[in-house]
Amino acid sequence: MAINYEKLMAWPFEDVRHRYTQRDTMLYALGVGLGTDPCDETELRFVYEKNLLALPTLPVVLGYPGMWLKNPETGVDWVRLVHGEQGLKLHRPIPAEGEVIGRTRVTGIIDKGPGKGALIYTERSVVDAASGDLLATLSSTTFCRANGGFGGPSGPVKSVHELPTRAIDHSCDFATQPRAALIYRLSGDYNPLHAEPAVARAAGFERPILHGLATYAIAGWAIVKTVCGGDPHAIGSIDVRFSSPVYPGETIRTEMWIDGKAVSFRALAVERNVVVLNNGRAELR
């Protein structure tokens, strides 16, 4: 089945009411990989209930509509889709526990042509259920590798943030664990691509890969730790492009350039010397 442009643009998402606890917030941080050193009190604040803080990237798992592209009515070959880009704008500090409503919509679909795939742009608003305050706005690009040539529009395509050409100002290494994807998935993204070797091989990978949003959170944490003194509330937004998969167990090196309140960044899988996140930009408050 091919993508039906009009049907997919009008996809009927239901509001997702999501009650999350301190346990969920700690599990998310553990899934990202914090807490490996039990004596690191900077990381302890995110994985221990005393004075608990939420990582700034926590909204990516709040009010999540699930694997909606797995629905055959979308016309998408879900086995061959990958996460292309992720954006996050924080309007208020994220509480360590609470109840939110996630509202998702499709904002655009790009046909890259036969054999070249398609892009699906979505946006999700995360709203505090009690006050109605907007906490975060998330934007996402899904690259559907097997769905090009359905006759949809060829643009406009989102612009790319160009990284500085000068030497980096900071770098931060973060070692992931071989079981990282199995822990991270417990925060809500149960795509078997990250757990089942057979599904990963069918998608063209040698073994299950780490969630792109876990790599995204690692880079976000590197910025918080290196540039913000460990203060998650200093982050205003984080946008990035996913350029290559990460295999659990690899070391992620986040390289940063600082220009006032703008932090340009990319991340590499050190063992393979491969750029896994590119064209990143974070804004500090």
Side-chain angles (χ1 to χ4, degrees), residues 105-118:
R105 64 190 183 98
V106 176
T107 58
I109 307 171
I110 304 299
D111 187 351
K112 295 171 68 69
K116 297 180 180 180

Side-chain angles (χ1 to χ4, degrees), residues 34 46 50 73 114 121 152 221 260 275 278:
L34 273 67
F46 299 90
K50 184 179 179 180
E73 294 298 314
Y121 298 133
W221 169 243
V275 176
N278 210 351

Side-chain angles (χ1 to χ4, degrees), residues 18-22 24-25 58 62 94-100:
H18 184 170
R19 170 69 184 168
Y20 68 102
T21 65
Q22 289 191 355
D24 298 316
T25 298
L58 178 66
L62 299 180
I94 304 302
E97 60 182 338
E99 187 171 19
V100 298

Side-chain angles (χ1 to χ4, degrees), residues 87-104:
L88 167 66
K89 183 174 179 60
L90 295 163
H91 304 284
R92 288 173 173 77
I94 304 302
E97 60 182 338
E99 187 171 19
V100 298
I101 298 172
R103 298 188 174 107
T104 301

Side-chain angles (χ1 to χ4, degrees), residues 131-145:
S131 67
D133 290 339
L134 179 62
L135 298 178
T137 303
L138 300 103
S139 58
S140 181
T141 303
T142 302
F143 179 34
C144 305
R145 294 183 290 164

Side-chain angles (χ1 to χ4, degrees), residues 28 55-60 85-91 136-140 161 213 215-224 228 231-232 234-242 254 261 263-266 277-285:
Y28 173 77
L55 285 172
T57 51
L58 178 66
V60 301
E85 297 167 312
Q86 180 64 45
L88 167 66
K89 183 174 179 60
L90 295 163
H91 304 284
T137 303
L138 300 103
S139 58
S140 181
H161 172 63
L213 287 178
T215 308
Y216 173 79
I218 289 168
W221 169 243
I223 295 169
V224 168
C228 306
D231 179 10
I235 297 292
S237 65
I238 309 178
D239 296 86
V240 81
R241 171 170 287 191
F242 301 99
T254 303
K261 291 190 174 182
V263 181
S264 299
F265 68 95
R266 68 179 181 181
L277 299 179
N278 210 351
N279 308 106
R281 179 184 173 90
E283 287 283 343
L284 307 181
R285 294 189 186 279

